Amino acid sequence: MENTKELTEHSSRVERKRRDSFGMFDGYDSCSEDTSSSSSSDESEEEVAPLPSSLPIIKNNGQVYTYPDGKSGMATCEMCGMVGVRDAFYSKTKRFCSVSCSRSYSSNSKKASILARLQGKPPTKKAKVLQKQPLVAKLAEYAQYQATLQNQAKTKAAVPVEGFSWGNYINSNSFTAAPVTCFKHAPMGTCWGDIAEGVRVEVPNTDCSLPTKVFWIAGIVKLAGYNALLRYEGFENDSSLDFWCNICGSDIHPVGWCATSGKPLVPPRTIQHKYTNWKAFLVKRLTGAKTLPPDFSQKVSESMQYPFKTSMRVEVVDKTHLCRTRVAVVESVIGGRLRLVYEESEDKSDDFWCHMYSPLIHHIGWSRSIGHRFKRSDITKKQDGHFDAPPHLFMKVKEVDAAGEWFKEGMKLEAIDPLNLSAICVATVRKVLADGYLMIGIDGSEAADGSDWFCYHATSPSIFPVGFCEINMIELTPPRGYAKLPFKWFDYLRETDSIAAPVKLFNKEVPNHGFHVGMKLEAVDLMEPRLVCVATVTRIIHRLLRIHFDGWEDEYDQWVDCESPDLYPVGWCQLTGYQLQPPAPQSSRDSQSSSSKQKKKAKSQQYKGQKKMTSLQLKEELLDGEEYSFLQGTSDQESNGSASYYIKQEP
């Protein structure tokens, strides 16, 4: 590399007599004598050059419900014993008060012990999650607390998180991982460049008996997110010493770094006998090959600088009443994820996790500006050191024109249920706010006071026009208690004397996201938003991804947008220092199967959505006086283009 040659000419004249342009000693026999003195200095900073458009080229040189008091409207959680309104319990089976208890029950409290470790305290009876929590539940909480702790102490067996290896997991199952370029919000997501198999780097040589740290050149054999399977140069087809590492780690350098930093290049001991002239070997093998940009490490560092700081005040959704926001304070920032503590929480235990680009957080004053409900704090003035986060730090939403035809209260649509992200439900526009924001309610399960309405922007990828699920062969969850099954939109609109929101008002943009079915990634469990888990993309419907958490039942799957800031490349947790939750062990999977499969089979027909209708039926029955033709989806559609979900039929 020409830049490398110039930098090498500036190195010490004494060192230049002994080293070539790759940083190698002129003779391998001299390594043992001179390595100690030549590598004793600390690693110096490399000279930074502008990032090239492509990579540099190296040049030569339990199933029974319990109803207290015989009331069918009540239920008892089979995990923690909490009594509450049955309809507010989690999932279709209604056996647990929350997803936390459901998972703890399935895994004999293994997941609960991991969560406790994240919080740095003993496991409590349940996690604080986005959920409908009946008031009667609070009456039973403390009574169950001690019994639950005793039960967990007897059964918990912590999953060996430290023992999980992405490399072993991918190798043993021949998995593929989503590329870093799929995650624009993640470090290096927008400047990953052409890093791919065959790229050469300089890495520590672990196959060496020398007492000091030495390096050797390796090539990328396989990429999995940030993680790369490397093979030392000279091993040809021998994979015996292949190893996984995070390509953004501090020990990974572009070829030429050793020469400019005064570090020794030493061949691995296993192959040192193969060649007598290693300099000639490297010149031959590396001429024309690609390596990392010279400022790669600086770019990594810059991409991991986050504008949100501790003590900043924001408005965030109230996890106990989704219809309103509250003031919270940034307590910590890890990899762009914020731990927010609600301002009134004296012991800082009432918290909420989200990404800094999440649509759930806003600048102070946002709620008032659009007419959103807001819980006023009992704290009359800011605490010392707290300050409002500047508005420009928050994600901007797309501007909309609400002057013409627009959403109206009472219009019907389909929406992802924020309390059960595995379901897309029949929903209604309950209130139209300013700047394109809407309050959405899930039909059949709304609280009388609207406390479970949820705020979606009109351009949100989580709301869809009537018929979206049918066209794309997704099960639509009908209103709770709706008896006329299979559900048909035409009948429901007529029975409720309502109209469908016009198709043209919805966001139909589909980015070229790059995801494919089967790809591995790290994903936030949005029902336990402090947890980042090993996950798989199992379905793709245009821009909508079905995320499955490895080792867990399908009922825990979640629908997530392809540009969600809660999805990360393989290796993100290692890079940022966040704790990764591994797949559930086999014992947990067996437990889930025995406890849920029969129940799911028995209940599946009760909530089944309508079977697939033809486009002709939809055009005849669905929309009030207007004709629309729909693009037919498939079960595993992988549309990455700009095609819309639906196209209006011109007269």
Side-chain angles (χ1 to χ4, degrees):
M1 184 162 54
E2 293 176 353
N3 289 341
T4 302
K5 285 185 176 181
E6 295 175 4
L7 292 172
T8 304
E9 291 175 0
H10 291 296
S11 63
S12 168
R13 294 183 180 276
V14 176
E15 290 293 319
R16 196 172 69 180
K17 291 179 181 180
R18 298 191 291 108
R19 300 176 186 273
D20 59 24
S21 60
F22 291 109
M24 286 196 64
F25 289 95
D26 285 333
Y28 177 74
D29 292 339
S30 63
C31 281
S32 58
E33 301 174 6
D34 298 333
T35 299
S36 178
S37 61
S38 64
S39 61
S40 60
S41 61
D42 293 332
E43 294 181 10
S44 59
E45 293 293 328
E46 56 185 302
E47 184 173 330
V48 176
L51 183 67
S53 58
S54 60
L55 295 182
I57 305 298
I58 302 171
K59 300 181 180 179
N60 53 347
N61 77 0
Q63 309 176 16
V64 179
Y65 294 122
T66 303
Y67 298 109
D69 303 326
K71 296 180 180 179
S72 60
M74 304 294 288
T76 300
C77 177
E78 295 182 17
M79 179 62 198
C80 70
M82 187 181 78
V83 180
V85 179
R86 182 178 181 275
D87 283 347
F89 272 39
Y90 176 72
S91 80
K92 295 178 181 177
T93 61
K94 308 304 178 187
R95 298 170 56 208
F96 305 102
C97 64
S98 69
V99 65
S100 174
C101 282
S102 176
R103 292 195 176 186
S104 297
Y105 182 91
S106 298
S107 61
N108 293 326
S109 296
K110 291 178 181 178
K111 194 87 168 185
S113 62
I114 294 173
L115 180 59
R117 224 174 27 251
L118 282 176
Q119 295 174 305
K121 58 185 180 182
T124 56
K125 64 184 182 310
K126 59 184 298 187
K128 298 179 176 67
V129 296
L130 285 172
Q131 59 180 309
K132 301 174 184 176
Q133 186 173 5
L135 293 177
V136 69
K138 298 180 180 179
L139 302 177
E141 286 184 354
Y142 187 77
Q144 297 297 329
Y145 179 74
Q146 296 298 330
T148 303
L149 285 183
Q150 292 175 5
N151 179 60
Q152 289 177 340
K154 293 177 181 178
T155 61
K156 70 178 181 181
V159 176
V161 177
E162 297 78 8
F164 176 77
S165 165
W166 262 120
N168 293 339
Y169 190 58
I170 289 174
N171 276 348
S172 60
N173 298 280
S174 299
F175 291 140
T176 58
V180 174
T181 51
C182 290
F183 310 88
K184 305 303 181 186
H185 58 280
M188 301 298 293
T190 58
C191 53
W192 190 247
D194 300 326
I195 299 175
E197 295 177 6
V199 168
R200 306 303 209 283
V201 292
E202 292 180 352
V203 295
N205 177 7
T206 58
D207 183 27
C208 183
S209 58
L210 296 174
T212 55
K213 188 175 184 179
V214 295
F215 294 80
W216 189 240
I217 294 171
I220 297 178
V221 177
K222 184 175 183 178
L223 266 181
Y226 294 116
N227 292 348
L229 181 63
L230 299 180
R231 181 173 300 168
Y232 287 122
E233 202 65 50
F235 273 76
E236 308 300 337
N237 295 322
D238 181 2
S239 61
S240 60
L241 288 185
D242 288 3
F243 61 98
W244 285 91
C245 70
N246 196 303
I247 205 71
C248 295
S250 59
D251 272 338
I252 311 300
H253 307 282
V255 171
W257 176 85
C258 284
T260 60
S261 303
K263 303 299 177 183
L265 276 177
V266 178
R269 180 174 51 185
T270 303
I271 60 169
Q272 64 184 238
H273 64 279
K274 292 182 64 174
Y275 301 95
T276 56
N277 188 341
W278 283 98
K279 174 181 177 180
F281 168 79
L282 289 181
V283 169
K284 180 179 179 181
R285 291 298 298 269
L286 299 181
T287 298
K290 290 183 177 181
T291 188
L292 300 177
D295 61 348
F296 183 76
S297 61
Q298 179 179 327
K299 288 293 183 183
V300 171
S301 177
E302 290 175 352
S303 66
M304 294 180 67
Q305 301 300 313
Y306 308 106
F308 280 86
K309 308 299 179 185
T310 56
S311 300
M312 281 186 173
R313 299 169 76 243
V314 301
E315 289 184 7
V316 64
V317 65
D318 184 344
K319 63 186 181 183
T320 59
H321 294 80
L322 303 185
C323 66
R324 69 187 184 190
T325 57
R326 296 171 62 183
V327 173
V329 179
V330 178
E331 180 69 17
S332 60
V333 183
I334 305 177
R337 294 195 65 75
L338 312 178
R339 178 177 180 257
L340 303 172
V341 174
Y342 290 113
E343 196 170 50
E344 295 173 301
S345 176
E346 296 181 359
D347 61 357
K348 298 186 177 181
S349 63
D350 191 9
D351 62 357
F352 183 80
W353 282 87
C354 67
H355 193 270
M356 61 182 183
Y357 294 149
S358 169
L360 301 178
I361 61 171
H362 310 276
H363 61 85
I364 298 296
W366 172 84
S367 297
R368 175 180 292 182
S369 68
I370 70 161
H372 193 284
R373 290 175 65 178
F374 176 77
K375 180 185 178 183
R376 295 188 178 277
S377 173
D378 293 336
I379 301 175
T380 57
K381 63 179 181 179
K382 300 177 189 176
Q383 298 183 19
D384 292 341
H386 293 177
F387 58 102
D388 296 350
H392 71 269
L393 299 185
F394 298 85
M395 266 310 263
K396 300 294 187 294
V397 294
K398 184 178 179 180
E399 292 186 4
V400 294
D401 181 13
E405 188 175 10
W406 192 240
F407 290 97
K408 294 182 174 62
E409 291 183 16
M411 282 184 171
K412 299 294 182 181
L413 68 163
E414 298 174 4
I416 296 176
D417 184 351
L419 297 176
N420 181 10
L421 296 168
S422 67
I424 299 180
C425 305
V426 174
T428 304
V429 177
R430 291 303 180 189
K431 189 176 182 180
V432 179
L433 308 179
D435 297 340
Y437 287 96
L438 311 168
M439 296 303 295
I440 304 295
I442 303 299
D443 285 22
S445 61
E446 298 176 63
D449 60 356
S451 60
D452 56 357
W453 294 354
F454 195 75
C455 185
Y456 280 126
H457 193 263
T459 60
S460 170
S462 297
I463 59 174
F464 317 95
V466 163
F468 172 82
C469 285
E470 196 64 39
I471 290 305
N472 292 287
M473 293 189 291
I474 301 173
E475 181 180 353
L476 176 66
T477 302
R480 182 179 289 115
Y482 187 73
K484 193 175 180 180
L485 300 176
F487 178 84
K488 295 183 69 174
W489 262 116
F490 177 73
D491 292 341
Y492 186 69
L493 292 174
R494 182 174 54 192
E495 292 166 4
T496 57
D497 193 24
S498 53
I499 62 173
V503 173
K504 64 183 179 181
L505 300 182
F506 293 85
N507 179 13
K508 296 179 285 293
E509 296 179 1
V510 181
N512 187 17
H513 48 69
F515 286 102
H516 296 284
V517 170
M519 282 183 169
K520 297 292 178 182
L521 68 163
E522 297 176 4
V524 174
D525 180 351
L526 293 170
M527 299 306 293
E528 299 264 17
R530 61 169 58 82
L531 300 181
V532 178
C533 311
V534 173
T536 307
V537 178
T538 57
R539 283 195 72 184
I540 300 177
I541 306 296
H542 304 287
R543 66 180 299 147
L544 197 61
L545 309 180
R546 180 81 170 180
I547 301 299
H548 174 75
F549 298 104
D550 289 20
W552 296 97
E553 287 287 314
D554 292 346
E555 65 183 276
Y556 300 111
D557 290 1
Q558 297 177 0
W559 287 110
V560 180
D561 183 61
C562 65
E563 294 183 341
S564 168
D566 295 304
L567 304 178
Y568 307 102
V570 166
W572 178 86
C573 282
Q574 179 188 2
L575 178 64
T576 60
Y578 207 95
Q579 177 141 16
L580 176 67
Q581 304 304 313
Q586 185 63 43
S587 59
S588 296
R589 302 178 200 181
D590 295 340
S591 174
Q592 294 174 68
S593 297
S594 62
S595 64
S596 64
K597 282 187 176 179
Q598 291 183 353
K599 183 63 66 176
K600 288 173 69 177
K601 181 181 291 186
K603 301 287 286 185
S604 59
Q605 293 301 319
Q606 184 172 352
Y607 296 104
K608 273 280 187 193
Q610 166 192 12
K611 291 186 177 180
K612 177 178 174 296
M613 293 173 60
T614 64
S615 297
L616 180 60
Q617 287 175 300
L618 284 167
K619 284 195 292 184
E620 290 177 346
E621 297 182 356
L622 195 57
L623 296 174
D624 189 26
E626 286 187 302
E627 285 194 347
Y628 289 84
S629 63
F630 293 76
L631 295 179
Q632 184 61 50
T634 60
S635 60
D636 290 318
Q637 186 169 352
E638 295 185 27
S639 171
N640 279 346
S642 58
S644 60
Y645 304 116
Y646 11 69
I647 301 175
K648 182 174 180 179
Q649 185 78 22
E650 296 295 337

